[in-house]
Amino acid sequence: MSQNTIEKLRSVALVGHGAAGKTSLAEALLQATGAIAARGSIEKGSTVCDFDPQEKEAGHSLYSAVVGFDHEDTHIHLIDTPGYPDFAGQSIAALAGVDTALIVINAQTGVELMTERMMRYAAERRLCRMLVINKIDAENLDLPGLVADIRERFGTACMILDLPAHGGADVVEVLEHDAGDADFASVAAAHRALIDQIVEEDEDLLTRYLEDGADPSAADLHAPFEKALREGHLIPILFVSAKTGAGIPQLLHALASLAPNPAEGNPPPFYKGEPGGAVEAFAAQPDAAKHVLAHVFKIVVDPYLGKIGVFRVHQGTLRKDMQLFVGDGKRPFKVAHLYRLQGKETVEVEQLLPGDIGAIAKVDEIAFDSVLHDSHDEDHIHLTPLEFPRPMAGLAVETRKKGDEQRLFDILGKLAMEDPTFVVERHPTSNETVIRGLGEIHLKAKLEKMASQFKLEVDTQPPRIPYRETITAPAEAMYRHKKQSGGAGQFGEVHLRIEPKERGEGFEFVDAVKGGVIPGVFMAAVEKGIRQGLAGGVVAGHEVEDLKVTVFDGKTHAVDGKEVAFTIAGRKAVIEAIRNARPIVLEPIVTIEIIVPEASIGDLTGDLSSRRGHITGTDSRGHGQAAISGEVPLAELNDYQSRLKSLTGGQGSYSIEFARYAAVPPNVQQQLASRFQLHDEDE
């Protein structure tokens, strides 16, 4: 492995829909650069990136994997990511580690769900983007139609950087060539359009270009090309066949000569301060001489190496044996071993520069989204969090063997540590442990990992729907807690006012007490009691949210005033106020996209409507397939996989994503309230 400078580093992520050929493309790139002697096979489970036994069994990626290779004296860090929506958390997290997103599109199936999502996520993160159309060796393709569809969906900034030739057996690059044979379009026209787009980024260059009429040199085009990438004014389209190797040399050349180095990409969105408080933007500089600043975008719990933190260095030089801090931690840890990753292999290195991706093992303090640094000056530096889909699919789990409960919590904690879209909930009212993910396949993979790697079998059942409660009107209430039973008693009185807030704004607590009628030492107890009251619900036993609670008066007693009294008074007062504030129950609404045979559209739309769903659109996906999009209450989807299988003969699939909370219909609220009252009576 060559000794690199910052200018000779690139970091890219392969993202896109499942079956687009991302892992096969990674194999082709590794083989073409000599990083591996021969390409592995997904069918045989021998690829570098899909090394986990679960991935080999599934035949597709479940986790992101980091590899590296050298080309044209440049080291390229590449992250291969899963493509199926259920595993989107791994794909989105990888965006925090790279400067460029390579969105891979299957030439046979065109723009799919994850293509659109990853284009959006990468744009929101202000990453440079390139579109790679794979499988150009397949038969019956409509590549001109695909390019037209790409430009219609993503804009005219999507410009051809190379073109397939000789029936997809070869590719001709159009930035440096203005003539040649191509399967469609004109090399000369594509060349001219690309040059015209690039020179618009530099007024002086544009003026010379218009006056001289001659193409600028490659050196003159480099800076405006990078600027166009950064601003989203240029999204190059490249064609490849991972199977035959067509277009692989051109893609490698584009990565080495056109993809941004760490100093050329958009700066990562660091900020200084603490969430919820005053913050200011912090500019990390890809300077090897400055303080170290690195961000952890992936956690792996390895059976042999323990916890592994995978990170991108953004500033400074990270060296073996140096002392690092995690976040605002006061005690440093020593970097005993420093690694680069090559799939499952760890390659020990002495140092990592800004732009490098590396890993550290066996440091318990490291967590997903941690910032690593070598000076207390950076104690309060954070990277703006990525926006992940909210995990809505759920299963209630319990151990088959008594006494395994603690093991269950430990294992679930490790799984949640690795996956930002896998959440573990404990519901005291129902005594349920609920796991939530992005879909049934996501949860199935977690259960299989629990059984295979951790040897723990669990039983599952549908969980309670995560309803919420809120209020629709302001109200006031007071509660006096007084208890006397010989000796010192308990006394606390709380007066409070509640007001509704906009949906999604959460809970706000305001201390408006004057004159010390409730001593400041007891206000924390009052807030604790209020939060307890909100957690237990009033109408149907679900958490109350989106309200402002103002404590404005109260009383205490010189001897009997105690924390426990004010906790009880706060809880009872807020419950009474909620009852008088026209409370309602909210249910989670999810967006759903269903891929089905076109012949099943009528049956599926009718079924969704019967489930209180709303159809927002249908879209032909070619090859007799269609996509139905809509919104539907999560409560209506408990048995949806089996229903979909029945309606489509096993040929349908779906993905869901949280949209918002909305009020349940009155009859549903009445049913939920009745069940809650019966539960209270049983208690």
Side-chain angles (χ1 to χ4, degrees):
M1 186 176 293
S2 62
Q3 293 295 317
N4 300 111
T5 62
I6 295 169
E7 293 73 22
K8 291 295 185 178
L9 289 173
R10 306 288 184 271
S11 58
V12 299
L14 294 177
V15 298
H17 201 79
K22 296 182 295 298
T23 301
S24 297
L25 180 55
E27 289 289 307
L29 294 169
L30 289 165
Q31 190 267 338
T33 55
I36 56 175
R39 300 181 199 179
S41 164
I42 291 173
E43 291 75 21
K44 295 179 181 179
S46 56
T47 64
V48 176
C49 293
D50 285 358
F51 55 84
D52 186 274
Q54 274 189 283
E55 294 177 309
K56 295 180 181 182
E57 179 70 24
H60 61 80
S61 302
L62 302 176
Y63 310 99
S64 62
V66 180
V67 295
F69 47 86
D70 294 313
H71 184 70
E72 296 180 8
D73 198 31
T74 299
H75 186 76
I76 300 167
H77 294 280
L78 182 142
I79 308 177
D80 180 35
T81 70
Y84 291 101
D86 281 34
F87 306 100
Q90 294 282 312
S91 305
I92 297 168
L95 298 180
V98 300
D99 298 308
T100 304
L102 296 183
I103 297 96
V104 184
I105 299 175
N106 185 337
Q108 297 171 291
T109 54
V111 176
E112 298 177 90
L113 173 64
M114 285 297 287
T115 315
E116 295 181 312
R117 286 187 181 175
M118 296 313 297
M119 278 289 282
R120 185 179 77 246
Y121 283 123
E124 290 171 352
R125 201 66 178 179
R126 300 193 67 227
L127 295 180
C128 298
R129 291 167 289 166
M130 296 184 180
L131 292 164
V132 180
I133 298 176
N134 190 20
K135 304 189 180 182
I136 61 171
D137 58 302
E139 296 181 355
N140 302 318
L141 299 179
D142 179 14
L143 294 178
L146 175 54
V147 171
D149 186 41
I150 287 171
R151 289 171 67 87
E152 181 179 346
R153 291 172 185 264
F154 305 129
T156 56
C158 300
M159 305 285 292
I160 290 170
L161 189 61
D162 57 37
L163 281 165
H166 311 116
D170 197 5
V171 164
V172 56
E173 195 273 341
V174 304
L175 179 62
E176 300 174 14
H177 301 85
D178 60 1
D181 296 325
D183 292 343
F184 72 93
S186 157
V187 172
H191 170 82
R192 186 60 50 220
L194 188 59
I195 296 292
D196 289 348
Q197 186 85 349
I198 296 169
V199 296
E200 287 185 0
E201 300 295 328
D202 186 320
E203 289 187 9
D204 293 338
L205 185 63
L206 176 59
T207 301
R208 295 201 307 271
Y209 173 64
L210 293 175
E211 290 175 351
D212 301 342
D215 286 349
S217 68
D220 285 341
L221 286 173
H222 183 83
F225 188 98
E226 298 299 336
K227 182 181 177 185
L229 282 179
R230 286 194 302 272
E231 299 296 332
H233 297 163
L234 175 61
I235 303 172
I237 301 174
L238 301 101
F239 294 85
V240 302
S241 168
K243 181 179 178 181
T244 68
I248 296 298
Q250 289 82 359
L251 175 57
L252 284 167
H253 178 66
L255 293 178
S257 63
L258 300 176
N261 65 44
E264 292 172 327
N266 283 317
F270 281 102
Y271 67 90
K272 190 166 188 174
E274 293 302 323
V279 300
E280 60 182 82
F282 179 85
Q285 299 179 38
D287 183 338
K290 289 190 173 291
H291 287 167
V292 169
L293 200 63
H295 172 259
V296 178
F297 64 86
K298 180 179 172 67
I299 293 290
V300 180
V301 180
D302 185 272
Y304 306 104
L305 290 174
K307 185 197 288 188
I308 300 173
V310 185
F311 56 85
R312 157 75 179 262
V313 182
H314 290 280
Q315 179 179 286
T317 301
L318 203 160
R319 294 183 175 87
K320 181 183 175 183
D321 293 330
M322 75 186 310
Q323 303 279 333
L324 287 181
F325 298 94
V326 181
D328 60 358
K330 302 307 177 189
R331 297 183 61 183
F333 70 90
K334 182 181 178 181
V335 181
H337 300 279
L338 189 60
Y339 303 105
R340 275 182 173 173
L341 299 176
Q342 193 73 348
K344 69 177 178 181
E345 304 297 330
T346 54
V347 181
E348 194 153 1
V349 296
E350 293 297 316
Q351 67 176 32
L352 295 171
L353 298 174
D356 269 326
I357 293 174
I360 295 174
K362 298 180 180 178
V363 179
D364 290 339
E365 296 87 348
I366 289 181
F368 175 78
D369 223 20
S370 293
V371 170
L372 311 179
H373 55 97
D374 62 348
S375 164
H376 283 303
D377 291 347
E378 284 76 42
D379 277 354
H380 300 286
I381 302 296
H382 305 273
L383 192 64
T384 300
L386 293 152
E387 293 289 336
F388 290 96
R390 185 168 179 168
M392 298 305 298
L395 285 173
V397 298
E398 62 177 326
T399 57
R400 290 181 181 173
K401 290 170 57 179
K402 295 297 181 185
D404 275 348
E405 288 81 9
Q406 188 56 51
R407 275 196 71 217
L408 172 65
F409 295 133
D410 292 344
I411 292 167
L412 290 178
K414 291 178 179 178
L415 296 179
M417 194 186 300
E418 293 183 313
D419 190 340
T421 57
F422 179 72
V423 175
V424 182
E425 301 172 351
R426 180 67 182 169
H427 296 279
T429 53
S430 61
N431 205 30
E432 283 185 327
T433 298
V434 176
I435 57 174
R436 294 201 181 275
L438 298 183
E440 294 182 22
I441 301 173
H442 188 196
L443 296 180
K444 181 182 177 183
K446 298 300 182 187
L447 295 174
E448 289 174 350
K449 186 168 185 176
M450 289 170 64
S452 61
Q453 182 172 322
F454 297 101
K455 312 302 180 188
L456 180 66
E457 300 284 346
V458 296
D459 292 319
T460 65
Q461 62 183 15
R464 293 180 67 191
I465 297 298
Y467 293 104
R468 296 288 185 265
E469 299 178 20
T470 193
I471 60 173
T472 60
E476 293 186 2
M478 66 79 66
Y479 189 84
R480 175 185 295 167
H481 176 72
K482 184 177 181 180
K483 183 177 181 182
Q484 197 73 39
S485 56
Q490 298 175 3
F491 183 91
E493 183 177 312
V494 172
H495 297 244
L496 54 78
R497 179 188 311 111
I498 63 174
E499 305 164 64
K501 299 185 72 174
E502 292 296 321
R503 197 82 75 237
E505 288 189 352
F507 166 66
E508 180 184 358
F509 176 77
V510 177
D511 174 7
V513 171
K514 296 179 181 179
V517 291
I518 299 179
V521 69
F522 292 137
M523 285 308 297
V526 174
E527 183 177 357
K528 177 183 176 182
I530 290 169
R531 289 183 180 275
Q532 288 176 353
L534 300 181
V538 174
V539 179
H542 300 278
E543 184 178 351
V544 187
E545 60 181 26
D546 300 334
L547 77 165
K548 176 181 178 181
V549 180
T550 303
V551 179
F552 62 88
D553 201 359
K555 290 182 181 178
T556 187
H557 187 278
V559 176
D560 296 342
K562 291 184 174 62
E563 285 190 10
V564 64
F566 281 99
T567 298
I568 294 170
R571 177 167 57 86
K572 296 282 191 178
V574 80
I575 289 173
E576 182 62 27
I578 292 170
R579 286 180 175 141
N580 297 327
R582 297 205 300 271
I584 59 171
V585 177
L586 305 172
E587 66 179 339
I589 306 295
V590 297
T591 56
I592 186 169
E593 178 163 287
I594 316 165
I595 308 298
V596 297
E598 289 181 341
S600 302
I601 289 177
D603 292 338
L604 264 296
T605 54
D607 183 68
L608 270 185
S609 297
S610 71
R611 295 169 180 267
R612 298 192 285 129
H614 170 62
I615 307 298
T616 57
T618 59
D619 183 24
S620 175
R621 287 295 166 91
H623 303 279
Q625 297 287 300
I628 301 170
S629 54
E631 292 189 340
V632 63
L634 180 64
E636 300 289 342
L637 295 178
N638 265 343
D639 62 342
Y640 197 65
Q641 186 65 49
S642 58
R643 180 65 175 157
L644 181 62
K645 183 177 180 181
S646 172
L647 290 173
T648 64
Q651 298 183 55
S653 62
Y654 77 98
S655 64
I656 61 173
E657 189 170 342
F658 174 77
R660 65 186 188 281
Y661 271 93
V664 301
N667 64 313
V668 175
Q669 177 155 324
Q670 194 170 19
Q671 293 169 9
L672 294 170
S674 298
R675 288 205 293 265
F676 181 55
Q677 289 168 3
L678 286 172
H679 173 77
D680 275 356
E681 290 170 5
D682 291 342
E683 291 293 318

